[in-house]
Amino acid sequence: MRSEQTPDIELAVSTEQVCFIITKARQFEVKDLPTVPDPGSNDSDDRMVSVLEARAGDPVAQEIRAFVDAMDEDQQIDLVTLAWVGRGDYDIGEWQEAREQAAAAHNDRTADYLLGLPLLSEFLEDALSDCGRSCEDEEVGRL
């Protein structure tokens, strides 16, 4: 339930979409840097270790990129704004100012920017909570 201090924020991006990105970001964030730049063998010989390593063609990162790239500009701006609020750059009461800054900074690399945030899933989840929303209320699998 939203407290009286929490402003009523109208998001262009749905809670369900944000929760989908949170889920995928968690899958991406658990991966480690490659231990061997180019193993030169197949995954089964390497005990499938490369599945847990972040590589350039990572399928989870590609899925997040495709999902974010398919969003319209307002939805992408709201995602960046949520990340900034969740990271603590802005308070939820400063939503409009944060959104204006995100709009001014918007470009065609939103997905790459978001993937570069080490704790993206936590930032988005914290900001959703600040907005009085939760992934527990959503059925993420319906996308």
Side-chain angles (χ1 to χ4, degrees), residues 37-140:
D38 184 15
S41 64
N42 65 43
D43 289 336
S44 61
D45 288 344
D46 296 332
R47 299 180 333 265
M48 300 295 285
V49 172
S50 65
V51 173
L52 299 175
E53 295 178 342
R55 296 193 180 267
D58 184 275
V60 176
Q62 289 175 348
E63 190 173 3
I64 293 170
R65 275 190 196 92
F67 192 77
V68 172
D69 289 346
M71 293 179 163
D72 66 33
E73 185 174 323
D74 282 332
Q75 291 172 318
Q76 291 180 5
I77 289 168
D78 278 358
L79 271 179
V80 171
T81 306
L82 285 167
W84 289 352
V85 168
R87 186 171 64 184
D89 296 349
Y90 294 90
D91 186 79
I92 194 67
E94 300 171 306
W95 177 265
Q96 192 57 43
E97 178 187 346
R99 194 175 193 291
E100 289 169 7
Q101 289 297 316
H106 183 266
N107 58 45
D108 61 354
R109 296 183 313 274
T110 301
D112 288 329
Y113 171 74
L114 292 170
L115 284 167
L117 298 176
L119 299 172
L120 176 62
S121 63
E122 288 185 34
F123 297 154
L124 293 176
E125 193 168 39
D126 288 349
L128 273 184
S129 177
D130 289 347
C131 293
R133 296 175 173 99
S134 167
C135 290
E136 293 175 10
D137 301 333
E138 296 297 317
E139 290 182 24
V140 176

